[in-house]
Amino acid sequence: MVNFIQNLEASLYKGFIDQNYSEYGSYKPKLLVNNPKKNENVLTSLLEELDNCNSFMFSVAFITESGLATLKSHFLDLKQKGIKGRILTSTFLNFNQPKVFKELLKITNVEVKLTNLEGFHSKGYIFNNKNHYSLIVGSSNLTAHALKVNYEWNVKLTSHENGEIVHHFKNQFEEVWENAQTLTEEWIAHYEKNHTQIVNSSVIGQVTEFPTSYKSNSIKEALEIVPNKMQQAALQEIQAVREAGKNKGLIISATGTGKTYLSAFDVRRLNPERMLFIVHREQILQKAKSNFNRVLGGIDKDFGILSGSNKQIDSKYLFATIQTISKEETLHQFDPEAFDYILIDEVHKAGAKSYHKVIDYFNPKFLMGMTATPERTDDFNIYELFDYNIAYEIRLQEALEEDMLCPFHYFGVTDIEYNGETIDDTTLLTKLVAEERVNHMIEKIQYYGFSGKKVKGLIFCSRKEEAEQLSNVMNTKGYSTFALTSKHSQKERELQVNRLESGILDYIITVDIFNEGIDIPSVNQVVMLRQTQSSIIFIQQLGRGLRKHDSKDFVTIIDFIGNYRNNYLIPIALSGDKSQNKDNIRRHTKDTSYIKGISTVNFEEVAKKYIFKAINNSNLTEMKILKEAFAELKNRIGRMPYLYDFITNQSIDPTVIIDKHSNYQQFLLKVKAEVPVLTDYENKVLTMFSKELLNGKRRHEIILLDLLLKQEQVEYGEYLNQLKASDCLIDDATMVSVQYIFDLSFFTQTYKIKYGEKAIIALNEDNSFILNEEIRESLDLNHHFKNMYIDIVKSAKEKNKLYQSHEPLSLYEKYTRKDACKLLNWNNDESSTMYGYKTKHQTCPIFITYDKKDDLESSVAYGDEFLNQDVLKWFTRSNRTLGSKEVKKIIEAKENNIEIHIFVKKDDDEGKDFYYLGKALPDKNTVQQTVMKDENKKELPVVQMNMVMEQSIDSKIYHYIKSAKNELNKH
């Protein structure tokens, strides 16, 4: 309690009196805003407080379904912990829709009351913690826009439980609460009957998301239809492809982003004599024709259909199914030069013979292909078909950011358990459709709900039999569902889709026939009851609900995460991060602020546990995965990829490849790429560059290697000028360290042998740098070696953009013990004997594994723990006392001019890398000698102290690391 008060006092002094006050305090007042560029929003802070409180009180005038959806899974997790809350809201301006009150009633651990206080317009969130209160007060109502997108000002304050300010807030809340009416079903029925919204939602800063619509009834109106910002950019890039003399182009565009309209705009710009638009299903034809008509205008007879039932082959703009136009008798009715412009929709299907027949027959001035999923699981290379000309590409994240898609709220929810075992991909069918599981599923889909007046849902199952039996069971429980599988005809599929859209059906239950090529914009709920097979299929199924429609403000995605081996694919797919880095995936599971706009990603606590388990049990860098990434990238760019290509195409992180292989040449040989032979020494040099410099953690070595590519020797002064121009440190210790890296004296004997044993770069007597003769000769004579050298330099330059150059270490980036020795300018790599910490060369790096394994012997299982974002409770090694020389050095670090650097990793599954959290100094008032017991229960002396961080730790990484403790042992 004393520590808390001191901390709070220091926080208040810094916050309200002197921002330069040096004493630590983790409860500083903070302005909360929504800043998309920095991935910051009010919601993140609200959720952090909510997830760590003992109870809460919200006083908010306005609540939307979408705003409430952002908190639903968190309320459920709190319920499991027995934590309750209260929400006070109103009927002010009749803004709150009747349905949102129905949604509030579903949250059984939250009591809701309504005030009829005139002009009730409060926006305050109060969180009760163990011995203090947190307050978030300002302009944000409980709406998704206010919490994630709108320009809002909110202040976060912390108060002791006896503080006057919190009592003002609590008293105000209780006073209104006492006279407010409890939310009941009867009250909602009465409100619904009399509800009329008397103001436009924009009046109160809540802009409702309506779909972009194109309405045109005439040529004049058609000309007035203009492309949105993203489509304008796409049109410019398509035109650039044509101006470059290319006659083919590929559009990669996420489902729902308006590919058809984009192609129509391009046709309008190009104004061809005749155009052919090819689709793979007849039901798409009419809609495509209608959309083109709206954009292009003109008379009806200009627009024709070529299908099984229509043969309007003379039309200026012809819309054809591939099945019909690929028939010999149909195809040969056309002159090969008949169409100036040919467009192929869902072109990833073009591996089929029918497509090849048509593409080979016609000779248009321009051929355009459109797809959302160019990555294929078959051997067909769609990029090659279009001569590797990607005219434009927009993926899910960008489309959400540009507000081209319907916002979504994704919920990774817990599947049911049988005898302590969670549903997985081996579960018997009888269990998949058992009464208990179906009831569990219904409970979840009702709790998380949907946007709109009536549910229009798709449920994806793992087996046909499951879909059929689930439909039967749901129909007995009052739902109207239909199981559609591959055995149903196209006509039957269209009929059932129409029944869903018209409201006759609540759900269509299917396996995977709706992964793509189906357009049901009114879908407002997608339920996934199957294993995540691949990121591609996951995004395809997610995409079924992402088209905008005026009947919904968002789509609800409910994903039943069982004990599936591939669960880790979900955060990979949602974040778009293909690096194959386990820690990145963990962070994307814990911190989901990467999702743009008002969309959110939420994992129930138990579901999160299963994802962490799947990550731990998976081998993300197995050769099969690396080979697939290599093949996919080779297909995309039409040649053997270099490491730099993996970076620029957002594929696997090159360092992941190098971690498993000594250098890229060795990897290329493993995947049987045809590459020239390298000498043993050339291999060793590339290994040194790859293992030590490719990560880009220090710019100095990269700059020198780059200079020596262009000239045989580099004057010392010229090198210094280049470093200064790049804002690099040029102190003597750093310059000596660079020399020790290149003459290999920094490395242990094992590494010297691995790296070729001779100095790579030497500093001559005339004060100039030169490469050794053998490397220089290889650069002159071996073109392949030179390319590999250049590739590493280019890749290292790109990766170095993550790091600042005027400091040896960059906050929140990851480093090994070896990196620390190098970047803190130690003469040698002493990582093997550093263990938890070591003081040398006026520096003391401290390495902490936050979540230590249960089987770790007691003498090294220290209780290191963050007390808050400014203070780390830290323990020395065992068998150390206050009189130990190494301990005295650390306690007197400030007086001895020793810099203490804190490195932390979540657990050992993260490998050798630690997050750098900054510098720290010990709080001498907290230094004390204590004891810990070894495996034989013998007491050993140890010293503990509080380390005060120079800078408060970023809240996202702080909460991520703090969540490590027993993450997998919960529940």
Side-chain angles (χ1 to χ4, degrees), residues 757-769:
E757 296 189 87
K758 63 175 86 168
I760 287 169
I761 295 174
L763 185 61
N764 279 345
E765 291 179 1
D766 65 354
N767 228 23
S768 63
F769 292 102

Side-chain angles (χ1 to χ4, degrees), residues 17-143:
I17 299 173
D18 183 1
Q19 64 177 332
N20 298 312
Y21 184 56
S22 60
E23 292 297 316
Y24 66 84
S26 56
Y27 300 109
K28 295 183 287 290
K30 186 178 179 183
L31 177 66
L32 305 180
V33 297
N34 295 316
N35 188 333
K37 288 182 181 176
K38 292 185 177 179
N39 251 15
E40 293 175 352
N41 54 60
V42 179
L43 179 63
T44 300
S45 293
L46 194 150
L47 292 179
E48 284 172 2
E49 292 298 333
L50 191 63
D51 291 345
N52 293 288
C53 72
N54 293 330
S55 66
F56 59 90
M57 297 179 284
F58 295 175
S59 179
V60 284
F62 307 126
I63 306 176
T64 61
E65 285 183 72
S66 190
L68 191 59
T70 66
L71 308 182
K72 274 188 173 179
S73 67
H74 299 267
F75 286 147
L76 199 61
D77 289 334
L78 292 176
K79 180 182 176 181
Q80 305 300 325
K81 294 189 280 187
I83 290 171
K84 297 180 179 181
R86 294 186 283 169
I87 295 178
L88 179 65
T89 185
S90 75
T91 57
F92 180 50
L93 295 176
N94 276 1
F95 173 77
N96 291 338
Q97 297 288 328
K99 189 161 176 268
V100 82
F101 292 121
K102 294 177 183 177
E103 295 300 315
L104 281 163
L105 267 188
K106 295 177 183 178
I107 306 166
T108 55
N109 58 322
V110 176
E111 187 182 358
V112 181
K113 282 194 175 185
L114 304 121
T115 176
N116 57 7
L117 198 65
E118 190 174 342
F120 182 82
H121 209 233
S122 66
K123 296 114 180 170
Y125 306 84
I126 306 171
F127 305 92
N128 177 16
N129 295 282
K130 187 176 179 181
N131 53 19
H132 73 276
Y133 282 86
S134 298
L135 313 170
I136 295 177
V137 183
S139 64
S140 289
N141 275 298
L142 186 44
T143 72

